[in-house]
Amino acid sequence: GAKALAEALMVNRSITDINLANNGIGFQGSEALAEALIVTTSISDINLASNGIGVEGAKALAEALMTNTSVNSINLANNGIGVEGAKALAEALMTDTSVNSINLANNAIGFEGAKALAEALITDTSVSNINLANNGIGVEGEKAFKDLLEEKKRMGLEVSIVFGDGKTTREMVV
């Protein structure tokens, strides 16, 4: 499945969007796709929502994003990436210049993951849309992003951040 697709992506330069949501690719599939993303420069949108990639899958994708310059939208919602996966993605966003939209809803990243992402996004000027709904980040996590929004406002950049707790969804926009 995902491994065969990843091999094809390494040589195909015309595919720009990948939507493998709800396909159960797991860590191994996400690792294969991450290897392809290191090589390919045509993929701009990736949807891997609800695939059970976990922490290791997030780490593999984060490593790929450190060198890939074509991905501008990535959806990793409902993948159980947790705090460590969020931290790995935060580290990637510190060097990445192409990702402008990231969906990490329902990943149990908690306050520590949210804090790492907020700190990374202070220096990242490309991300303008992030979905962190249903991650248990709490009031302190939201405060970290309020501080981020103030910094982005000073820089003249627009950012949209979605929060929620399963009952309500809030969006902060600058």
Side-chain angles (χ1 to χ4, degrees):
K3 287 183 180 183
L5 175 62
E7 288 175 13
L9 290 174
M10 289 186 187
V11 294
N12 184 309
R13 302 290 184 231
S14 60
I15 295 174
T16 59
D17 296 0
I18 300 172
N19 184 347
L20 294 177
N22 300 301
N23 272 286
I25 66 169
F27 159 68
Q28 291 159 333
S30 63
E31 186 177 55
L33 288 170
E35 289 174 17
L37 289 175
I38 291 171
V39 177
T40 187
T41 58
S42 63
I43 304 300
S44 62
D45 297 305
I46 303 170
N47 184 350
L48 299 180
S50 303
N51 270 295
I53 68 169
V55 174
E56 296 306 315
K59 286 181 177 179
L61 290 165
E63 188 174 320
L65 290 175
M66 288 183 183
T67 56
N68 180 288
T69 58
S70 64
V71 173
N72 60 43
S73 177
I74 187 163
N75 184 345
L76 298 178
N78 303 306
N79 271 300
I81 68 168
V83 173
E84 294 307 313
K87 286 182 176 180
L89 289 165
E91 187 176 333
L93 292 174
M94 290 174 134
T95 58
D96 173 82
T97 58
S98 62
V99 173
N100 60 43
S101 178
I102 187 164
N103 185 344
L104 298 178
N106 301 304
N107 271 299
I109 68 169
F111 166 70
E112 290 298 321
K115 181 180 172 192
L117 287 163
E119 289 172 356
L121 293 176
I122 287 174
T123 58
D124 178 287
T125 57
S126 61
V127 174
S128 60
N129 186 343
I130 186 164
N131 186 337
L132 298 174
N134 304 317
N135 271 297
I137 67 173
V139 174
E140 289 301 310
E142 286 191 29
K143 183 185 179 320
F145 278 93
K146 285 179 185 173
D147 295 343
L148 165 71
L149 288 173
E150 287 305 314
E151 181 63 26
K152 293 294 185 181
K153 187 176 183 179
R154 281 192 286 280
M155 297 168 71
L157 299 172
E158 292 184 19
V159 179
S160 168
I161 304 169
V162 176
F163 300 102
D165 58 10
K167 296 175 189 159
T168 60
T169 301
R170 295 173 304 291
E171 182 174 20
M172 292 182 193
V173 180
V174 165

